[in-house]
Amino acid sequence: MADRRHASVEVAAAPRTLPTRFLTPDDLVEMFELPSVETVYQWRRKRTGPRGFRVGRHLRFDPDDVRAWVESQIKGAAA
């Protein structure tokens, strides 16, 4: 039983990696367990979410920009 708890702690402590490809709004919905893709578009309109860019009519996010945004959110919450 102690082994199971220890194993789950190891999984929880392992850093999560972002995909190396550009992320879609649906990816952000899944990653952050958002209610809908509309939340991502609202962030973009309000300029409160991670920096995104357009490829034609498609919105994409660089994983490094998403990571930087998450870190800024964590730092802002700690202040």
Side-chain angles (χ1 to χ4, degrees), residues 16 18-19 23 26-34 66 70:
R16 289 182 261 171
L18 292 172
L23 304 170
D26 288 324
D27 291 329
L28 296 186
V29 168
E30 184 179 328
M31 287 170 50
F32 297 116
E33 299 178 9
L34 301 172
V66 173
V70 168

Side-chain angles (χ1 to χ4, degrees), residues 23-51:
L23 304 170
T24 67
D26 288 324
D27 291 329
L28 296 186
V29 168
E30 184 179 328
M31 287 170 50
F32 297 116
E33 299 178 9
L34 301 172
S36 73
V37 73
E38 183 58 31
T39 302
V40 178
Y41 290 110
Q42 286 178 11
W43 287 350
R44 184 154 169 88
R45 282 191 298 273
K46 295 177 183 178
R47 298 177 189 252
T48 58
R51 185 172 64 173

Side-chain angles (χ1 to χ4, degrees), residues 52-74:
F53 62 96
R54 292 247 173 227
V55 178
R57 63 182 204 140
H58 304 284
L59 182 59
R60 295 295 182 260
F61 299 87
D62 186 317
D64 292 333
D65 289 340
V66 173
R67 186 176 294 106
W69 177 77
V70 168
E71 288 173 6
S72 75
Q73 297 301 301
I74 291 170

